[in-house]
């Protein structure tokens, strides 16, 4: 094991660069594809409410914890927890679990990201009336085509991570995030002018509390962890490139608000768009159950039909813009998923960044090709590594910080860049949340899930 020098690890160039990179990691398929799908699936505004609560009382405190651990140790999740483990051999397992979750989540994330690219072509081919080509790239079940787009996307991700922290990740996200936000708002303004949009808005804002059950709680919590990029040490890793002048609590607040805001805004786009599709004759309700059709493929099934219905050049332009938006959001997230195992290999095995990126990326690429052909794996991976794995990681991080590393030590780290935090009520609140509320809530939801498996 060769420890690496900090110059080889890299640091963020600017405060805003870090916040954008972390927000870029957070804002991704989870916001624009996952969140609206889950809202549609789980009784509209009732899900939103539970989700917001999860972000606020579990996500935000865990994010502060991850950033503090990362900046304190300046290491990847495994190295970070080793450094603070005082020789305890169980503690670093939290880091290893994070690295595994990163690899496995990325391996299906890039398949879905590949679909976003494929649909850019689908919209183009449809416009030029190359019908069979459009059908070919639009076929989500075509394994070979999936694999090609997936590997292309994986390649892009590897190239950015190869560039390093400030020259790769920070530069790419600083460029991509403003474009993404611009596109999002343009699309919303257009969709709102179409028939059916109002109905979608109503569904978004009208809660159906009868849908709240253990399953919904697990989905909302899993979604909160996934969307905020928490529970596997991605923000330990991003925090490890942070300088001591930056205010961690303030940065975490910006990242959380930004991510939740974009999810809600994306919901305002995607859900009304589904109803616009319906107004145009696309079936979005299951005629037998009366429930909204909803699955991993919802966005890819329904929205292209809507763009086709709008038709002509405008329809194509909107379609292409939407899928580019989705692809860009996915890219700034996939780089953070890859950065975790890559940082682990760089720090703990003394491999240089370029080699580490290609080795880890290549490995993920192989799994993602298997997923491309066997899409049913996505459901299992989501269940194990996202819905259970991330909250489990978050639980472990909370317990580790609260009872092993101890909040007073975390406070010493949080004070750097935020001198007044010691005497603020916020610190006390944070300790209560991280020591008691977050472990108990996460534990309860996970137990409910395991219970429902067994019975
Ligand atoms: N947050 C991203 C999204 O919403 C996905 C993601 C990127 C992620 N990095 C992560 C999820 C780390 C969990 C952990 O799409």
């Amino acid at each position: 094991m060769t420890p690496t020098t900090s110059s080889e690890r890299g640091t963020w160039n600017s405060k805003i660069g870090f916040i954008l990179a972390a927000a870029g990691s957070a804002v991704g398929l989870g916001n624009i594809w996952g969140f609206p799908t889950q809202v549609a699936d789980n009784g509209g505004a009732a899900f939103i409410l539970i989700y917001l609560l999860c972000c606020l009382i579990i996500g935000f405190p865990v994010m502060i914890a991850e950033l503090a651990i990362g900046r304190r140790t300046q290491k990847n999740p495994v190295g970070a927890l080793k450094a603070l483990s005082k020789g305890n051999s169980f503690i670093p397992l939290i880091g290893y679990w994070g690295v595994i979750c990163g690899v496995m989540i990325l391996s299906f994330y890039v398949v879905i990201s590949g679909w976003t690219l494929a649909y850019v072509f689908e919209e183009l081919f449809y416009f030029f009336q190359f019908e069979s080509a459009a059908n070919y790239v639009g076929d989500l079940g075509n394994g070979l085509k999936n694999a090609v787009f997936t590997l292309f996307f994986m390649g892009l991700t590897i190239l950015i991570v190869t560039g390093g922290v400030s020259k790769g990740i920070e530069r790419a996200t600083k460029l991509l995030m403003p474009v993404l936000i611009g596109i999002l708002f343009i699309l919303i303004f257009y969709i709102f002018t179409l028939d059916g949009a109002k109905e979608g808005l109503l569904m978004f804002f009208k809660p159906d509390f009868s849908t709240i059950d253990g399953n919904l709680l697990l989905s909302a919590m899993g979604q909160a962890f996934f969307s905020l990029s928490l529970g596997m040490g991605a923000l330990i890793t991003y925090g490890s490139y942070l300088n001591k002048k930056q205010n961690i609590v303030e940065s975490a607040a910006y990242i959380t608000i930004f991510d939740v805001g974009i999810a809600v805004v994306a919901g305002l786009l995607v859900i009304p768009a589904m109803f616009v599709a319906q107004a145009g004759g696309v079936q979005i309700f299951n005629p037998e159950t009366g429930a909204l059709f909803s699955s991993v493929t919802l966005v890819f099934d329904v929205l292209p039909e809507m763009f086709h219905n709008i038709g002509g050049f405008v329809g194509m332009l909107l379609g292409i813009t939407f899928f580019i938006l989705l692809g860009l959001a996915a890219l700034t997230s996939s780089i953070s998923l890859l950065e975790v195992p890559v940082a682990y290999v760089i720090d703990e095995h003394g491999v240089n960044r370029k080699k580490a990126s290609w080795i880890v990326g290549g490995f993920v690429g192989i799994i993602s090709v298997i997923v491309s052909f066997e899409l049913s794996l996505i459901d299992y991976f989501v269940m194990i590594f996202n819905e259970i794995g991330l909250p489990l990681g978050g639980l472990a991080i909370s317990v580790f910080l609260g009872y092993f590393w101890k909040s007073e030590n975390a406070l010493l780290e949080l004070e750097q860049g935020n001198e007044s935090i010691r005497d603020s009520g916020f610190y006390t609140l944070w300790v209560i949340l991280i020591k008691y509320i977050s472990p108990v809530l996460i534990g309860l939801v996970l137990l409910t899930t395991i219970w429902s498996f067994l019975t």
Side-chain angles (χ1 to χ4, degrees):
M1 210 176 354
T2 339
T4 23
T5 58
S6 64
S7 64
E8 199 169 317
R9 295 191 86 252
T11 49
W12 305 111
N13 245 339
S14 64
K15 178 175 166 179
I16 182 75
F18 160 69
I19 292 179
L20 278 181
S25 160
V27 173
L29 294 174
N31 304 60
I32 304 170
W33 159 81
F35 179 74
T37 310
Q38 297 248 27
V39 172
D41 215 7
N42 289 302
F47 179 86
I48 303 180
L49 214 65
I50 306 279
Y51 170 74
L52 291 179
L53 275 176
C54 287
C55 289
L56 195 69
I57 60 179
I58 305 176
F60 177 50
V62 170
M63 184 181 293
I64 295 173
E66 285 203 22
L67 291 173
I69 293 171
R71 192 177 66 176
R72 169 77 184 77
T73 56
Q74 314 267 298
K75 286 202 160 73
N76 69 91
V78 174
L81 287 153
K82 256 190 205 155
L84 299 175
S85 69
K86 303 173 193 144
N88 180 314
S89 47
F90 286 105
I91 304 272
L93 293 181
I94 305 171
Y96 283 110
W97 179 241
V99 171
I100 295 172
C101 284
V103 167
M104 298 309 285
I105 291 176
L106 185 57
S107 72
F108 72 82
Y109 202 85
V110 284
V111 176
I112 301 167
S113 308
W115 289 344
T116 68
L117 291 181
Y119 266 95
V120 172
F121 288 98
E122 194 270 353
E123 292 297 316
L124 263 179
F125 291 150
Y126 184 86
F127 175 71
F128 288 107
Q129 296 179 341
F130 299 144
E131 212 160 289
S132 58
N135 288 339
Y136 182 80
V137 286
D139 179 6
L140 298 177
N142 185 327
L144 183 65
K145 180 231 56 174
N146 286 343
V148 170
F149 282 98
T150 297
L151 288 178
F152 179 77
F153 197 87
M154 192 68 224
L156 278 181
T157 307
I158 295 174
L159 281 178
I160 295 177
V161 171
T162 312
V165 178
S166 60
K167 291 216 184 72
I169 301 174
E170 183 171 349
R171 210 169 54 178
T173 41
K174 243 171 136 170
L175 187 79
L176 298 179
M177 291 306 281
V179 180
L180 187 148
I181 294 169
I183 294 181
L184 193 57
F185 279 96
I186 292 172
L187 284 172
I188 289 184
F189 284 124
Y190 190 83
I191 292 291
F192 275 13
T193 64
L194 301 176
D195 281 345
K198 273 203 202 79
E199 240 180 292
L201 275 182
L202 213 62
M203 140 140 220
F204 197 68
F205 287 117
K206 207 178 74 193
D208 175 3
F209 289 109
S210 68
T211 55
I212 298 182
D213 58 9
N215 223 336
L216 183 142
L217 293 180
L218 183 73
S219 302
M221 202 168 74
Q223 176 65 23
F225 273 95
F226 186 80
S227 186
L228 293 170
S229 297
L230 295 173
M232 49 153 278
L235 291 180
I236 295 182
T237 310
Y238 273 26
S240 76
Y241 307 129
L242 206 50
N243 73 45
K244 301 277 184 188
K245 279 187 251 138
Q246 191 128 336
N247 183 334
I248 287 185
V249 174
E250 185 195 66
S251 305
Y254 283 138
I255 299 162
T256 306
I257 293 170
F258 198 84
D259 183 65
V260 170
I262 296 278
V264 171
V265 171
L268 288 177
L269 169 67
V270 174
I271 297 192
M274 282 172 2
F275 284 81
V276 171
Q278 187 193 33
V282 182
Q283 212 180 30
I284 62 168
F285 287 103
N286 183 332
E288 275 157 34
T289 61
L292 201 60
F293 276 127
S294 174
S295 70
V296 288
T297 56
L298 179 83
V299 163
F300 298 97
D301 289 335
V302 171
L303 295 187
E305 297 233 30
M306 179 196 73
F307 296 128
H308 297 171
N309 282 341
I310 295 171
F313 186 70
V314 175
M316 174 199 66
L317 203 63
L318 285 173
I320 289 182
T321 315
F322 176 78
F323 286 110
I324 289 180
L325 163 78
L326 207 53
L328 293 182
L331 189 60
T332 55
S333 300
S334 63
I335 52 185
S336 81
L337 284 160
L338 182 60
E339 179 63 19
V340 174
V342 166
Y344 161 70
V345 173
I346 294 175
D347 291 347
E348 305 300 309
H349 296 282
V351 177
N352 74 38
R353 175 168 282 276
K354 201 166 166 197
K355 211 160 142 194
S357 310
W358 283 103
I359 292 173
V360 178
F363 179 69
V364 175
I366 294 172
I367 309 179
S368 69
V369 167
I370 301 173
V371 178
S372 299
F373 282 91
E374 197 46 66
L375 297 177
S376 61
L377 287 173
I378 296 179
D379 284 336
Y380 294 109
F381 285 13
V382 167
M383 187 74 194
I384 302 170
F385 300 104
N386 166 12
E387 293 200 328
I388 296 178
L390 298 178
L392 196 64
L395 173 71
I397 289 168
S398 306
V399 171
F400 161 75
L401 192 145
Y403 300 93
F404 195 90
W405 187 33
K406 301 256 173 9
S407 48
E408 299 87 70
N409 289 315
L411 175 63
L412 294 178
E413 187 59 39
L414 295 179
E415 270 184 322
Q416 312 213 32
N418 184 1
E419 278 150 28
S420 59
I421 189 172
R422 179 178 293 268
D423 302 316
S424 72
F426 179 79
Y427 171 67
T428 318
L429 178 67
W430 177 69
V431 173
I432 296 172
L433 288 170
I434 211 84
K435 269 180 96 160
Y436 308 106
I437 312 276
S438 137
V440 169
L441 288 183
I442 301 174
L444 276 178
V445 174
L446 287 179
L447 281 178
T448 319
T449 313
I450 296 169
W451 181 250
S452 70
F453 270 137
L454 297 178
T455 53

